[in-house]
């Protein structure tokens, strides 16, 4: 039997061919040009909504949000309203937890949705939503190592809490994004020295920079820098393990120009008679929830820690009022869909949203009933209607604006609420052939990696392995199959 290959994944958050292709054609990104030609390349379809949180969880688990139940950085269900998502909310094993069981060694750097870290055998460095001053890496020795290079988990202090403010400080934020990327590369190079079968590192600076500069020189400069960093990382990996490294470069969602108008779904539902009159207290709570969301995402708490903010938010009385109000409503908004209490209104609301026009332009690309998109035991927690908005429209789910429509001025230059198409580039190893597909799915990464590393693919997986043929098939034995089934039953019981 051949020695199992190693898998190296480099994530470029929010990277899109929309930007890269023209720069490649103009000869501005020679290395990307080379790998686009010589390696397998495709688009990688994200989750709905195409957001960093659910996308990386589907990446980690190989399952759709109907199973893992995570749609954003916070919860929108009645019982967990505005609670932050933690790794414990995901009932499925992550790729490194799955591989650990087969004795594989994993290093995972800056994976979103890993704080607080679940301490196991793998090396984990957490990502955004890690409060300042906390332990962002496991084991302790790695934490100490990273402190010595003044590693940066995410943007410090400044966030997109108020996008207009972030735009004013964008040069400062850009500097931070550059230094973050450099530290990330240093950390990766350092940790590549360890023994590993699976190595993951995410560069988040691409997402930050595209939000602030979209298709401007700053973004191109960052990619030119990343060309060098990514090559250095690959060189280090190959110096250690030779050509036996299966390389994946991918992003978690697409990106597009920023929105120019804001549609207040809350006000719209109110105007259409699906929401009961509001009272001031829940109104404030909603505003706070909105602020929390905007402050911690995509960076970290501005003042005080996330927990403090959360304590303020989860004041029982206000929370109960809000839940009461929500129960009385026929429909309740979220940024990516609508909970419909009165199911007889479901088709009507769907049709109205599908037909909705503003200045003669369609507002939503698609509106789905949740069963059309998701499946699994967490389907109940998902809004009954989910949508993908058009590029120019920002969906506001809280009553932060008085009118249904508002012009967005000085808003983020780029955003990704409307674009699920990320990038995927793969350099396989000998004996492994990749399916020729124009579009792959973010859920396909888990089974692909597991197959490359000759571990069994769990049967609950929604993604499909991208490998078509290899010389030594890794069919699961009866005993392995049984082991997997018992494990899944256990996982489901834990729900
Ligand atoms: Zn992202």
């Amino acid at each position: 039997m051949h020695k199992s290959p190693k898998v190296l994944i480099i994530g470029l958050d929010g990277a899109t061919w929309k930007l890269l292709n023209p720069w490649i054609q103009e000869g501005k990104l020679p290395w990307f040009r080379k790998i686009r030609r010589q390696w397998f390349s495709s688009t990688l379809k994200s989750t709905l909504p195409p957001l960093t949180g659910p996308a990386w969880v589907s990446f980690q688990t190989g399952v759709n949000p109907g199973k893992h139940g995570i749609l954003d950085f916070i919860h929108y269900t009645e019982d967990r309203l505005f609670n932050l998502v933690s790794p414990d909310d995901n009932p499925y094993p992550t790729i490194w937890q799955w591989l650990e069981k087969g004795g594989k060694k994993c290093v995972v750097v800056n994976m979103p949705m890993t704080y607080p870290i679940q301490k196991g055998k793998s090396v984990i460095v957490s990502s955004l939503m890690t409060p300042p001053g906390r332990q962002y890496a496991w084991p302790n020795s790695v934490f100490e190592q990273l402190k010595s290079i003044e590693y940066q988990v995410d943007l410090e202090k400044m966030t997109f809490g108020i996008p207009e403010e972030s735009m004013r400080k964008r040069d400062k934020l850009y500097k931070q994004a550059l230094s973050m990327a450099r530290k990330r590369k240093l950390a990766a190079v350092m940790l590549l020295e360890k023994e590993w079968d699976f190595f993951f590192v995410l560069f988040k600076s691409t997402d930050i920079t595209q939000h602030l500069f979209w298709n401007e020189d700053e973004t191109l400069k960052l990619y030119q820098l990343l060309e060098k960093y990514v090559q250095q990382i690959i060189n280090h990996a190959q110096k250690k393990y030779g050509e036996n490294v299966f390389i994946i470069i991918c992003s978690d969602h697409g990106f597009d120009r920023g929105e120019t108008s804001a549609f207040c779904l809350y006000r719209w539902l109110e105007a259409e008679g699906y929401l009961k009159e509001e009272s001031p207290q829940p109104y404030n709570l909603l505003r706070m929830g909105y602020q929390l969301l905007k402050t911690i995402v995509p960076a970290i708490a501005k003042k005080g820690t996330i927990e403090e903010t959360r304590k303020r938010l989860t004041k029982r009385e206000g929370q109960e009022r809000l839940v009461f109000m929500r129960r009385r409503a026929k429909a309740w908004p979220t940024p990516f869909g609508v909970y419909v209490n009165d199911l007889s209104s479901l088709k009507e609301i769907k049709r109205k949203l599908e037909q909705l026009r503003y200045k003669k332009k369609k507002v939503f690309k698609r509106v789905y009933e949740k069963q059309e998109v998701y499946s699994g035991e967490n389907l109940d927690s998902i809004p009954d209607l989910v949508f993908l908005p058009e590029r120019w429209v920002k969906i506001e789910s809280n009553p932060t604006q008085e009118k249904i429509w508002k012009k967005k001025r000085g808003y983020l230059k780029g955003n990704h609420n409307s674009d699920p198409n990320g990038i995927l580039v793969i350099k396989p190893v000998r004996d492994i052939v990749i399916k020729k597909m124009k579009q792959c799915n973010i859920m396909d990464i888990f089974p692909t990696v597991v197959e490359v590393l000759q571990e069994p693919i769990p049967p609950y997986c929604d993604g499909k392995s991208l490998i078509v043929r290899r010389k030594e098939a890794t069919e699961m034995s009866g005993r392995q199959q049984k082991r997997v089934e018992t494990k899944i039953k256990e996982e489901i019981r834990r729900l």
Side-chain angles (χ1 to χ4, degrees), residues 294-413:
K294 294 304 224 173
T295 313
I296 57 161
V297 180
I300 45 177
K302 205 168 187 175
K303 278 176 202 142
T305 63
I306 290 170
E307 280 88 76
E308 280 165 25
T309 323
R310 193 159 133 187
K311 256 182 224 155
R312 265 196 293 130
L313 252 176
T314 45
K315 270 187 196 156
R316 287 270 312 264
E317 206 185 323
Q319 193 84 6
E320 276 165 15
R321 278 289 299 150
L322 191 59
V323 169
F324 173 73
M325 197 175 126
R326 181 179 170 148
R327 286 206 180 119
R328 287 199 316 161
K330 284 185 178 172
W332 190 261
T334 77
F336 43 80
V338 183
Y339 286 103
V340 183
N341 291 339
D342 173 17
L343 286 173
S344 66
S345 311
L346 186 109
K347 296 257 189 262
E348 185 184 271
I349 298 172
K350 180 170 187 272
R351 185 173 39 81
K352 283 184 186 172
L353 290 174
E354 279 168 344
Q355 291 173 354
L356 197 64
R357 296 281 190 285
Y358 180 63
K359 296 184 176 168
K360 291 185 183 159
K361 286 185 292 186
K362 255 182 99 180
V363 178
F364 296 100
K365 287 180 181 166
R366 286 291 299 271
V367 182
Y368 303 90
E369 288 185 37
K370 63 177 166 186
Q371 296 85 346
E372 294 176 70
V373 185
Y374 316 102
S375 64
E377 62 279 12
N378 259 313
L379 200 61
D380 279 354
S381 65
I382 292 177
D384 301 278
L385 295 172
V386 280
F387 43 69
L388 195 65
E390 289 287 349
R391 196 277 309 160
W392 55 272
V393 57
K394 170 102 180 79
I395 309 298
E396 298 285 9
S397 63
N398 292 318
T400 42
Q401 62 194 52
E402 294 305 317
K403 289 183 178 159
I404 294 176
W405 286 99
K406 193 179 166 187
K407 205 143 188 65
K408 280 270 166 207
R409 284 206 182 80
Y411 192 64
L412 299 173
K413 288 276 182 177

Side-chain angles (χ1 to χ4, degrees), residues 52-66:
T52 301
W56 285 115
V57 178
S58 281
F59 172 98
Q60 291 167 26
T61 57
V63 302
N64 83 91

Side-chain angles (χ1 to χ4, degrees), residues 232-248:
Q232 283 176 32
I233 288 171
I234 291 173
N235 288 342
H236 262 80
Q238 288 178 335
K239 214 161 49 186
K240 198 170 168 74
Y241 295 118
E243 285 298 306
N244 205 23
V245 185
F246 185 97
I247 304 166
I248 299 178

Side-chain angles (χ1 to χ4, degrees), residues 138-205:
W138 172 259
N140 292 336
S141 56
V142 170
F143 185 42
E144 293 305 321
Q145 249 185 316
L146 291 177
K147 275 199 277 188
S148 75
I149 60 161
E150 291 173 359
Y151 179 80
Q152 229 176 307
V153 179
D154 204 64
L155 289 178
E156 267 165 26
K157 288 185 181 161
M158 282 179 285
T159 73
F160 298 152
I162 302 150
E164 289 78 2
E165 195 188 314
S166 304
M167 281 303 291
R168 279 196 298 275
K169 292 177 182 163
R170 69 178 188 158
D171 293 323
K172 217 168 158 185
L173 288 169
Y174 179 62
K175 262 188 203 154
Q176 272 195 47
L178 291 182
S179 101
M180 251 168 67
R182 195 178 61 86
K183 296 264 172 72
R184 190 78 30 100
K185 186 259 299 180
L186 286 176
V189 165
M190 202 162 82
L191 295 173
L192 278 164
E193 296 298 321
K194 296 189 171 295
E195 290 289 312
W196 51 271
D197 299 288
F198 173 78
F199 193 104
F200 172 90
V201 58
L202 172 68
F203 286 94
K204 192 75 181 49
S205 300

Side-chain angles (χ1 to χ4, degrees), residues 13-14 50-53 55-56 73 112 202 204 207 252-255 416:
D13 206 293
L51 301 176
T52 301
W56 285 115
F73 297 109
L202 172 68
K204 192 75 181 49
D207 179 275
D252 53 336
H253 47 71
F255 231 93
H416 49 82

Side-chain angles (χ1 to χ4, degrees), residues 4-119:
S4 157
K6 308 290 174 184
V7 175
L8 169 66
I9 303 186
I10 298 160
L12 302 174
D13 206 293
T16 165
W17 293 124
K18 218 176 280 171
L19 285 183
L20 294 178
N21 276 344
W23 288 333
I24 286 171
Q25 274 153 23
E26 290 159 25
K28 289 171 177 163
L29 295 172
W31 186 76
F32 275 108
R33 181 192 177 99
K34 187 183 136 203
I35 62 165
R36 185 100 160 98
R37 283 184 173 181
Q38 296 177 357
W39 300 3
F40 164 85
S41 82
S42 181
T43 60
L44 192 64
K45 195 179 171 202
S46 186
T47 48
L48 183 69
L51 301 176
T52 301
W56 285 115
V57 178
S58 281
F59 172 98
Q60 291 167 26
T61 57
V63 302
N64 83 91
K67 288 183 182 159
H68 62 62
I70 291 157
L71 287 168
D72 203 342
F73 297 109
I74 59 170
H75 293 283
Y76 292 93
T77 51
E78 274 177 22
D79 52 331
R80 315 272 320 263
L81 205 56
F82 299 135
N83 274 8
L84 281 172
V85 170
S86 100
D88 294 332
D89 293 321
N90 163 28
Y92 286 82
T94 59
I95 190 158
W96 55 93
Q97 288 165 344
W98 187 257
L99 294 170
E100 271 174 22
K101 303 218 155 137
K104 297 285 191 289
K105 294 191 170 72
C106 307
V107 180
V108 178
V109 183
N110 209 262
M111 176 67 88
M113 318 307 264
T114 50
Y115 185 87
I117 297 175
Q118 295 174 322
K119 297 169 181 176

